[in-house]
Amino acid sequence: MIRKLARFVGGYKKEALLSPLLVSLEVVMEVLIPLLMADLIDFGVELGDMGYILKMGVALVVCCLLSLFFGALCGKTSSIASAGFAKNLRKEMFHKVQDYSFSNVDKFSSASLVTRLTTDVTNIQHSFMMIIRVAVRSPIMMIFSIVASFSINAKLATVFLYTVPLLAVGLVLIMRFVNPIFRRGFKTYDKLNSVVQENIRGIRVVKSFVREPYEIEKFTSVSQKIAGDFTKAERIIALNGPLMNICAFGSMVVINWLGAKLIIQSGGTAMTTGELMSMLTFVMQILMSLMMFSMIFMMIIMSRASMERVVEVLDEETEIRNPEHPVTELSDGSIEFDHVVFSYAREAEKPVLDDICLSIRSGETIGILGGTGSSKSTLVQLIPRLYDVKSGAVKVGGVDVRDYDLDTLRTNVAMVLQKNVLFSGSIKENLRWGNENATDEELVEACRLAQADGFIREFPDGYDTWIEQGGSNVSGGQRQRLCIARALLKKPKILILDDSTSAVDTRTDSLIRQAFAEKIPNTTKLIIAQRIASVQDADRILVLDDGKISGFGTHEELLATNQIYQEVYETQFRKEDL
Amino acid sequence: MPPVPTPKGHNAASTHGKVNFKALNKKTVSRLLSYLFRYKFSFTAVLLCIVVSSVTTVIGATFLQTIIDDYVKPLMVQKNPVLDGLLQVIFTMASVYLLSTVATFLQGYLMASLGQKVQKQVRDEMFTHMQSLPISYFDTHSFGEVMGTYTNDVNTLRQMISQSIPNVLSSIITVLSVFVAMLKLSWILTLCVLLFLVLMLAVTGKISMNSAKYFVAQQSSLGKMNGYIEEMIEGQKVVKTFCYEGKSKEEFDRRNEELCQNATNANTFANILGPVNNNLGHLQYVLLAIVGGAVAVYSGEALITLGSIAAFLQLSKNFTRPISQISQQLNAVIMAMAGAERIFALLDETPEQDEGYVTLVHAKEEDGILTESETRTGLWAWKHPHGDGTTTYTKLTGDVRFFEVDFGYTPEKQVLHEVSLYAKPGQKIAFVGATGAGKTTITNLINRFYDIADGKIRYDGININKIRKSDLRHSLGVVLQDVNLFTGTVMENIRYGKLDATDEECIAAAKLAGAHEFIRMLPQGYDTVLSGDGSGLSQGQRQLLSIARAAVADPPVMILDEATSSIDTRTEALVQKGMDRLMQGRTVFVIAHRLSTIRNSNAIMVLDRGRIMERGDHESLLAEKGMYYALYTGTVELE
């Protein structure tokens, strides 16, 4: 997993490698300082040699400045490397997601993809910076300090052989105990958030049913659990401080005692006062860096969940890809379904579409009717190859859709989805999604066809009106018409409207259909609708029921033979006393 | 429709800026402390532990002077040194450190539960209070804003209580005691330390300011970036159908590059701060040694001893570290304070007012006289206590009347104008009109989500302001267009309508609503767990569940606000039978986009811009050839 992520350093390798190097240099300086200091005290202060004090002093100041320089430089390189790393990672993920097929997106759900691309990447970026700065710094600091302390006095330094493992084992044990509790705690936290989330979103339901006490009870019980878990975890973590103290203070006391004894007994030959002081400095440096290391380690473990989630996105195989020798010409808008079976899940017991056979001539207008869950949308989504069939084949212009170049296929098959989305930007910009190079005249023409020109002109800014994210500042009917216009700009050979005029009034709806018939007669049109009126005058009407074709024919034929069609007709026109 | 929430408050970016001391509002601080004071014992104990551990650490460091000056130096030159005195000092030192360790442990242990207790208390209070807030609160506060208070603000608050406050306190105490200890050791070196401190503060202040500036830039481009990601991924299917992947990648790369730039700048300054502080500490250490050494050399240990230089050097590190710690924590404290203010703002919101005293009771009727019943009888009555001590009972029938009601969500914009209407028990009343005409608003007034500005509403002849809100709402069943389901099984979701409903009752309600069929097809039937607001279900299925939920509550009055809008007409026809059974004997208010569903209403009100324009049944309205006629024949867009 780490290796997989490591390759995103690419392009920032220099900085990523330089950072630990610079940090090591900084550490060397920091270790040198107490060593030189010992000399300054012993030969300068103790002997009263002012010249020596100054000489060593200058050397020390230089060390400090160098250390500062290296440290600051590392700060810069590490931030360049980590920001660059995050940039690469984010880019790769976004590009990958852009190439996802519908089924890939369904698998993750968009909300989860968004979190993975935002929060998770930020978490990883943070850990990465920690790794190249602190995670390298701490062990190096520890090793250098231990070496230095042994060089001063090996006998005294043996203290570290006891305290360092003690601290290390202690820290590992603490982490061992705390980690599962934290994991559990964070899960409960998610639950708490979802209780609040659902409560806020459904506040009208809560209030209507007078369920406030019930909700409060639900919340406090989860809240209680979190408090319990985290108290436990934090109490264990609270052992960190005393453990550190025992090791640090213990080492100090022992070094003070043994050191002082040594100086006194040897008369200052085996050890000096200055050296004693440096030893004391090293105690803090060694133990602090071990402590830091354990903290960083903990952080990295915590960000593991994020890493896993990110790698999942990267590892996901795009299910729909261009064939090796794609067909880049689409001759006409004829469609053929040849024994098509389809299901969303890999091992669904019952297929969503079952053995569908039908053939549609180029330029025909086809209405599609069917109840909730009769797989109307699924059927049409197979035509621009948004999903791949499980068995059988879908052919457009006589060629299997799997043999086309995806761009060619999807440019020629325009689809207006049930869930219409407009993007933040002007109306013009939104329309040009259909065709980047469309002239203003072409835009207006498409909008006229979709019966959108009228209301667009009524906006104070006309075609330059700014659309909010998701198109929330235009009404549902207007949004649907804009989406139709956007699709028309592709000048497609096949146009699919998936219940795209449900919010449009019946008169406008019929005007749109009329315009289609007059202005784009050669385009094959597939119209999914709830209203019989919307499909009544289609060349043929397809009636779907539970993933199977129940009827396919003209309005009159179906009215005479198809029971479902009759029922739908009746619910809509019965007692019609106009 | 209620006014669109305006995003306000929660401006996290501003807290990254300059340290703003004004944010330390006195009231907020004292209110926050009052939470801590509720746990007087643990809080005092924690304070005590902090004092003990800080002071003992400092005292421990001064032992070095005694060891060097009083023992090492004099004993060094002796032939047969006696180490008893030294051993004693070492023992004292060890016990001081032991005390410090115990205090540190106790502090951490107590703080863990104290911090969590306070956090839980704040959280629970917030949620409990939020349940009492009127709907208008949720209209004027965006979802993200309220959510943010629960997640970010409570979290920063906990961090402040369990980390920042103890840290700052111990830092202050350490600094003070170190200062005293340093003064005792040498006033000359102390002066040096102070001078150096000024330099240090100046440098770090400068760096922090730069860092803050770039952090704001980073936050803003991160926000833009995330917004773009969200928009593109939400609209991923449209992106695919338009082969827009290439362009969206391009735009993404541009924003990504900008974010990378700002992130590099922001992190560079933040990263530099650490080494700068650290190495300035070293520099000070070195300078002290030089100055100390020089003073010792020239004054011949009259002003300063070797031992005191050694001890001083040790102490000086303990002086600068807490100071840089305080400056780091300060930002966290200010952020937490801003969070605390938002939390308190939520807690200070005025809850829904309820002066109602008329309650809903089970009743039985004998010889035309209503009496209260202990058990469910199917008959309900309003219990109406009067000022003179008497109590009368009125049968709950579902008679709702509006008398010249005026209403606006905000005082500036009136939404309903002189609306008068009546619904007799068992009648079906429909509202028709464009978005914003005031249909939903009328139903919102019946269950008192909002209070009217003028006029009156009577329910079974009682002014609804006199009815206790919870009882009023118990008598009304509501099915809304936007279905909200809760995490839990299908059964639990239906049971939400009546918590003590048996499984059989729930299933019967599901059958009535026409939901039984599809529920049976779910992997675990009624035990299928729904999560993420029932994301696995289609909009139509969700609506059926929501109808079942209202059915199990069995209220005498029902409000159906576009309850079947996402159900296709054929299924609707099947559901309709159940719905008709559901509506039987109840007063029902229906809002429907699809006019076919309201044709059989007793009365249809056509609303336009908050006024009732036409009223009558289907036939008479068609005959009128007015607005309803235009809508019905589809010449006007209903949106």
Side-chain angles (χ1 to χ4, degrees):
Chain A
M1 192 166 68
I2 304 271
R3 201 174 311 146
K4 241 175 218 150
L5 292 174
R7 76 188 155 90
F8 293 103
V9 180
Y12 298 92
K13 227 174 233 157
K14 199 181 80 196
E15 284 83 2
L17 292 177
L18 217 52
S19 307
L21 185 73
L22 286 168
V23 143
S24 316
L25 289 174
E26 188 196 357
V27 167
V28 171
M29 290 303 144
E30 278 183 72
V31 175
L32 267 181
I33 293 169
L35 283 179
L36 293 177
M37 188 68 90
D39 285 349
L40 183 130
I41 300 272
D42 293 337
F43 303 112
V45 181
E46 215 160 332
L47 301 180
D49 183 347
M50 195 56 212
Y52 190 82
I53 292 181
L54 279 180
K55 204 173 79 189
M56 286 312 282
V58 170
L60 275 165
V61 170
V62 171
C63 277
C64 282
L65 291 178
L66 275 177
S67 165
L68 177 64
F69 172 73
F70 290 134
L73 204 60
C74 166
K76 191 169 171 61
T77 55
S78 64
S79 69
I80 292 175
S82 60
F85 168 77
K87 183 186 85 176
N88 288 343
L89 183 61
R90 216 179 266 125
K91 178 173 165 177
E92 171 85 6
M93 285 176 78
F94 188 78
H95 285 207
K96 183 100 191 179
V97 170
Q98 288 302 301
D99 292 334
Y100 271 8
S101 71
F102 272 33
S103 53
N104 296 119
V105 176
D106 292 343
K107 196 168 131 190
F108 285 107
S109 93
S110 11
S112 140
L113 280 176
V114 172
T115 338
R116 287 167 203 242
L117 263 126
T118 52
T119 320
D120 287 338
V121 171
T122 314
N123 280 346
I124 296 176
Q125 174 181 4
H126 205 70
S127 314
F128 179 79
M129 194 156 73
M130 284 297 180
I131 292 174
I132 60 174
R133 286 184 69 210
V134 194
V136 171
R137 185 196 154 95
S138 306
I140 290 184
M141 176 66 114
M142 204 165 83
I143 292 165
F144 274 119
S145 302
I146 289 180
V147 170
S149 61
F150 268 92
S151 80
I152 291 177
N153 190 307
K155 205 176 147 214
L156 277 187
T158 46
V159 174
F160 293 125
L161 294 184
Y162 299 101
T163 49
V164 168
L166 177 69
L167 181 59
V169 169
L171 290 175
V172 168
L173 280 179
I174 289 174
M175 276 200 283
R176 260 273 176 82
F177 279 113
V178 165
N179 223 348
I181 305 178
F182 262 131
R183 265 168 195 259
R184 198 171 64 213
F186 281 122
K187 239 180 223 157
T188 326
Y189 230 112
D190 286 346
K191 212 155 138 200
L192 185 86
N193 284 342
S194 85
V195 170
V196 181
Q197 225 164 38
E198 290 178 350
N199 181 274
I200 300 175
R201 290 214 193 272
I203 191 71
R204 279 160 204 271
V205 177
V206 173
K207 288 205 173 273
S208 308
F209 286 109
V210 199
R211 287 289 170 265
E212 293 96 331
Y214 176 75
E215 291 285 314
I216 290 171
E217 199 185 305
K218 194 156 79 181
F219 180 88
T220 42
S221 83
V222 181
S223 169
Q224 177 64 49
K225 233 167 114 187
I226 291 179
D229 271 351
F230 277 87
T231 308
K232 219 192 271 170
E234 282 183 17
R235 275 184 180 163
I236 299 177
I237 288 186
L239 289 172
N240 261 346
L243 179 68
M244 176 75 189
N245 278 359
I246 287 174
C247 294
F249 293 153
S251 313
M252 280 192 193
V253 169
V254 172
I255 287 175
N256 263 322
W257 163 241
L258 293 179
K261 208 167 82 177
L262 197 64
I263 300 171
I264 294 167
Q265 282 169 346
S266 71
T269 52
M271 187 165 182
T272 63
T273 332
E275 283 172 351
L276 176 65
M277 284 177 61
S278 320
M279 286 297 277
L280 292 177
T281 310
F282 286 131
V283 170
M284 282 321 277
Q285 276 184 352
I286 291 170
L287 298 178
M288 276 304 260
S289 42
L290 188 62
M291 187 89 174
M292 278 298 264
F293 187 71
S294 78
M295 265 159 64
I296 301 299
F297 193 68
M298 187 102 155
M299 262 187 63
I300 293 171
I301 288 187
M302 279 188 179
S303 71
R304 229 181 98 145
S306 290
M307 290 192 217
E308 278 166 4
R309 287 153 55 88
V310 163
V311 168
E312 260 172 36
V313 173
L314 294 170
D315 278 353
E316 177 77 8
E317 283 294 325
T318 305
E319 290 189 1
I320 294 179
R321 261 177 296 190
N322 256 350
E324 266 185 43
H325 302 288
V327 180
T328 52
E329 258 333 288
L330 196 142
S331 59
D332 63 39
S334 66
I335 303 164
E336 205 184 318
F337 277 70
D338 182 14
H339 296 285
V340 168
V341 178
F342 176 80
S343 61
Y344 286 99
R346 277 165 223 270
E347 291 115 25
E349 49 299 349
K350 187 172 156 286
V352 179
L353 285 175
D354 198 1
D355 199 33
I356 300 283
C357 286
L358 62 107
S359 112
I360 294 164
R361 288 183 297 278
S362 189
E364 245 186 323
T365 299
I366 304 291
I368 302 176
L369 272 182
T372 312
S374 65
S375 316
K376 301 173 302 245
S377 301
T378 312
L379 180 92
V380 294
Q381 286 183 354
L382 297 178
I383 301 170
R385 208 185 158 204
L386 296 173
Y387 294 94
D388 268 340
V389 297
K390 213 167 184 192
S391 70
V394 177
K395 288 178 190 164
V396 170
V399 177
D400 193 318
V401 288
R402 282 168 292 193
D403 295 334
Y404 279 113
D405 171 61
L406 277 174
D407 278 11
T408 309
L409 179 69
R410 289 181 187 161
T411 311
N412 281 295
V413 181
M415 177 144 148
V416 184
L417 295 159
Q418 199 171 8
K419 269 194 182 166
N420 289 289
V421 186
L422 294 173
F423 295 85
S424 42
S426 70
I427 288 185
K428 264 187 195 167
E429 281 166 19
N430 265 288
L431 291 172
R432 288 218 165 93
W433 272 58
N435 176 6
E436 268 183 72
N437 309 313
T439 61
D440 285 1
E441 289 71 42
E442 283 175 304
L443 296 184
V444 173
E445 174 61 24
C447 288
R448 281 214 182 107
L449 271 179
Q451 310 299 319
D453 185 55
F455 76 81
I456 296 175
R457 282 181 196 279
E458 275 174 31
F459 290 145
D461 296 328
Y463 279 82
D464 293 315
T465 303
W466 186 263
I467 301 286
E468 299 291 340
Q469 183 175 341
S472 55
N473 58 339
V474 289
S475 81
Q478 293 171 340
R479 191 159 62 228
Q480 289 185 331
R481 281 179 275 168
L482 283 174
C483 288
I484 294 174
R486 182 173 64 182
L488 284 174
L489 276 161
K490 284 191 190 176
K491 296 212 165 51
K493 293 211 167 73
I494 299 173
L495 176 67
I496 302 168
L497 303 183
D498 186 356
D499 206 4
S500 330
T501 55
S502 57
V504 177
D505 64 277
T506 48
R507 200 175 54 96
T508 313
D509 186 25
S510 81
L511 283 176
I512 294 173
R513 272 178 288 122
Q514 207 177 317
F516 282 177
E518 283 166 16
K519 307 280 172 148
I520 47 169
N522 295 325
T523 304
T524 313
K525 293 162 284 278
L526 274 70
I527 300 168
I528 295 181
Q530 303 268 3
R531 285 184 286 218
I532 290 254
S534 306
V535 295
Q536 200 169 353
D537 46 4
D539 294 322
R540 281 190 290 170
I541 299 158
L542 178 69
V543 182
L544 280 177
D545 184 40
D546 204 15
K548 293 193 187 70
I549 296 178
S550 153
F552 192 27
T554 62
H555 173 67
E556 286 73 24
E557 283 165 20
L558 290 172
L559 209 49
T561 57
N562 190 285
Q563 197 202 341
I564 294 179
Y565 194 78
Q566 288 162 355
E567 279 174 27
V568 177
Y569 185 80
E570 260 176 45
T571 58
Q572 290 181 24
F573 291 90
R574 183 186 43 188
K575 289 184 269 168
E576 192 76 24
D577 38 10
L578 281 170
Chain B
M1 285 288 114
V4 181
T6 43
K8 59 176 177 182
H10 228 80
N11 197 352
S14 66
T15 50
H16 278 291
K18 237 182 170 171
V19 170
N20 180 6
F21 285 95
K22 275 185 210 138
L24 289 171
N25 189 314
K26 247 191 209 153
K27 253 192 194 150
T28 315
V29 175
S30 65
R31 192 160 168 191
L32 205 57
L33 287 177
S34 77
Y35 277 92
L36 286 170
F37 288 145
R38 283 187 209 173
Y39 305 95
K40 263 190 214 95
F41 173 73
S42 355
F43 187 57
T44 327
V46 166
L47 283 184
L48 205 67
C49 288
I50 291 176
V51 172
V52 170
S53 70
S54 319
V55 173
T56 44
T57 310
V58 174
I59 293 175
T62 58
F63 275 103
L64 192 60
Q65 186 217 2
T66 324
I67 292 173
I68 293 178
D69 285 349
D70 297 352
Y71 296 96
V72 175
K73 288 201 79 181
L75 291 178
M76 224 169 108
V77 288
Q78 286 178 19
K79 275 273 149 53
N80 285 313
V82 185
L83 295 174
D84 290 356
L86 177 64
L87 195 61
Q88 213 169 356
V89 174
I90 295 279
F91 265 121
T92 324
M93 182 180 172
S95 34
V96 166
Y97 276 144
L98 191 67
L99 186 63
S100 171
T101 305
V102 170
T104 310
F105 171 71
L106 278 179
Q107 178 207 329
Y109 190 83
L110 291 172
M111 204 63 219
S113 64
L114 181 60
Q116 286 297 333
K117 267 187 204 152
V118 170
Q119 193 194 4
K120 180 178 174 335
Q121 180 129 31
V122 169
R123 207 162 50 200
D124 291 357
E125 268 178 35
M126 271 165 66
F127 191 82
T128 308
H129 188 76
M130 189 175 81
Q131 297 308 302
S132 73
L133 296 180
I135 293 289
S136 58
Y137 173 81
F138 298 91
D139 294 339
T140 48
H141 295 76
S142 76
F143 174 75
E145 193 183 331
V146 183
M147 246 353 257
T149 315
Y150 280 92
T151 51
N152 300 338
D153 294 342
V154 175
N155 207 27
T156 47
L157 192 67
R158 181 192 60 85
Q159 262 177 14
M160 182 179 92
I161 289 174
S162 63
Q163 282 170 24
S164 304
I165 289 185
N167 246 329
V168 168
L169 276 179
S170 104
S171 298
I172 291 175
I173 294 166
T174 308
V175 166
L176 287 180
S177 34
V178 168
F179 188 70
V180 171
M182 286 198 307
L183 263 184
K184 263 179 80 183
L185 287 171
S186 159
W187 62 268
I188 300 173
L189 292 184
T190 311
L191 201 65
C192 290
V193 170
L194 285 181
L195 284 177
F196 206 81
L197 184 70
V198 174
L199 171 77
M200 208 163 141
L201 288 180
V203 173
T204 52
K206 185 107 188 144
I207 296 175
S208 312
M209 250 163 70
N210 266 316
S211 150
K213 193 176 80 195
Y214 284 112
F215 255 107
V216 173
Q218 181 196 246
Q219 274 330 93
S220 118
S221 54
L222 187 68
K224 272 189 224 154
M225 171 89 196
N226 289 352
Y228 188 76
I229 291 178
E230 212 176 300
E231 183 165 14
M232 283 304 135
I233 291 185
E234 295 292 337
Q236 180 70 15
K237 298 201 167 180
V238 176
V239 170
K240 298 247 79 159
T241 51
F242 281 90
C243 308
Y244 207 74
E245 299 95 329
K247 289 211 75 174
S248 80
K249 282 179 191 171
E250 251 170 58
E251 172 66 17
F252 175 86
D253 290 351
R254 199 183 59 71
R255 290 181 194 227
N256 199 9
E257 202 60 52
E258 183 193 309
L259 170 64
C260 180
Q261 267 312 316
N262 285 327
T264 307
N265 286 333
N267 285 324
T268 299
F269 281 104
N271 284 353
I272 285 178
L273 198 60
V276 164
N277 262 333
N278 210 355
N279 287 304
L280 282 180
H282 291 321
L283 201 61
Q284 171 187 281
Y285 187 77
V286 169
L287 289 178
L288 284 177
I290 297 171
V291 173
V295 172
V297 169
Y298 290 118
S299 71
E301 300 216 344
L303 277 171
I304 203 159
T305 62
L306 180 64
S308 44
I309 294 177
F312 201 96
L313 286 176
Q314 283 252 347
L315 279 174
S316 74
K317 284 211 161 168
N318 283 335
F319 188 66
T320 43
R321 200 182 306 131
I323 284 182
S324 65
Q325 231 166 40
I326 292 177
S327 72
Q328 273 167 29
Q329 295 291 348
L330 216 53
N331 235 332
V333 170
I334 302 247
M335 257 171 83
M337 278 300 163
E341 253 169 50
R342 281 190 290 266
I343 290 172
F344 292 145
L346 172 70
L347 288 176
D348 289 344
E349 285 287 337
T350 327
E352 243 179 320
Q353 295 303 310
D354 190 5
E355 297 92 34
Y357 53 88
V358 176
T359 52
L360 189 64
V361 293
H362 295 290
K364 49 181 182 271
E365 196 168 17
E366 282 159 1
D367 312 325
I369 298 162
L370 278 174
T371 46
E372 202 172 331
S373 160
E374 293 289 316
T375 52
R376 202 181 174 100
T377 52
L379 194 66
W380 299 85
W382 297 110
K383 183 180 181 180
H384 196 152
H386 296 281
D388 55 7
T390 57
T391 306
T392 53
Y393 292 93
T394 317
K395 196 166 150 190
L396 172 68
T397 55
D399 178 289
V400 179
R401 288 159 199 263
F402 277 54
F403 299 96
E404 293 175 351
V405 170
D406 288 343
F407 173 74
Y409 291 102
T410 52
E412 304 86 52
K413 199 177 164 230
Q414 200 170 333
V415 180
L416 292 182
H417 307 268
E418 295 168 23
V419 168
S420 294
L421 60 90
Y422 57 89
K424 288 182 192 152
Q427 275 193 331
K428 180 176 173 185
I429 310 292
F431 297 107
V432 173
T435 304
K439 296 167 301 193
T440 302
T441 306
I442 290 180
T443 61
N444 277 340
L445 296 180
I446 298 174
N447 56 17
R448 282 194 74 198
F449 276 176
Y450 302 93
D451 282 331
I452 55 175
D454 199 13
K456 47 186 180 206
I457 303 175
R458 289 186 181 255
Y459 190 152
D460 288 330
I462 306 165
N463 184 338
I464 61 163
N465 289 338
K466 288 187 188 166
I467 303 174
R468 213 168 66 183
K469 274 185 179 170
S470 57
D471 292 284
L472 173 69
R473 288 175 190 162
H474 265 306
S475 75
L476 302 161
V478 182
V479 183
L480 300 169
Q481 179 174 20
D482 293 320
V483 179
N484 287 289
L485 298 173
F486 298 87
T487 303
T489 64
V490 172
M491 191 68 92
E492 282 163 7
N493 266 290
I494 298 177
R495 193 169 285 140
Y496 205 84
K498 182 181 159 206
L499 294 178
D500 57 355
T502 61
D503 284 2
E504 288 70 34
E505 282 178 89
C506 292
I507 294 171
K511 281 184 177 156
L512 195 64
H516 184 65
E517 301 307 314
F518 91 82
I519 295 174
R520 260 192 354 187
M521 303 294 279
L522 294 174
Q524 271 93 43
Y526 280 87
D527 297 324
T528 308
V529 175
L530 303 176
S531 61
D533 203 4
S535 55
L537 304 176
S538 77
Q539 189 60 25
Q541 290 169 332
R542 292 153 46 92
Q543 288 195 330
L544 294 180
L545 268 189
S546 133
I547 294 169
R549 182 168 64 187
V552 84
D554 192 25
V557 177
M558 295 267 290
I559 297 170
L560 306 176
D561 188 349
E562 296 277 14
T564 56
S565 60
S566 298
I567 302 170
D568 67 285
T569 51
R570 192 160 152 267
T571 313
E572 194 190 19
L574 296 174
V575 176
Q576 200 63 51
K577 280 185 217 129
M579 292 285 280
D580 285 345
R581 244 183 301 156
L582 187 63
M583 291 185 214
Q584 209 161 47
R586 298 177 212 272
T587 309
V588 184
F589 294 92
V590 187
I591 297 172
H593 189 99
R594 216 181 275 148
L595 297 181
S596 57
T597 52
I598 57 162
R599 235 170 355 203
N600 63 355
S601 305
N602 299 87
I604 297 169
M605 316 272 162
V606 182
L607 285 161
D608 188 40
R609 275 165 239 156
R611 290 176 201 278
I612 297 181
M613 307 304 286
E614 292 171 17
R615 67 180 86 205
D617 60 10
H618 179 69
E619 278 73 25
S620 67
L621 283 176
L622 278 184
E624 230 171 87
K625 302 240 168 179
M627 258 178 88
Y628 184 76
Y629 179 81
L631 286 170
Y632 196 75
T633 50
T635 40
V636 181
E637 188 166 325
L638 246 193
E639 187 44 52

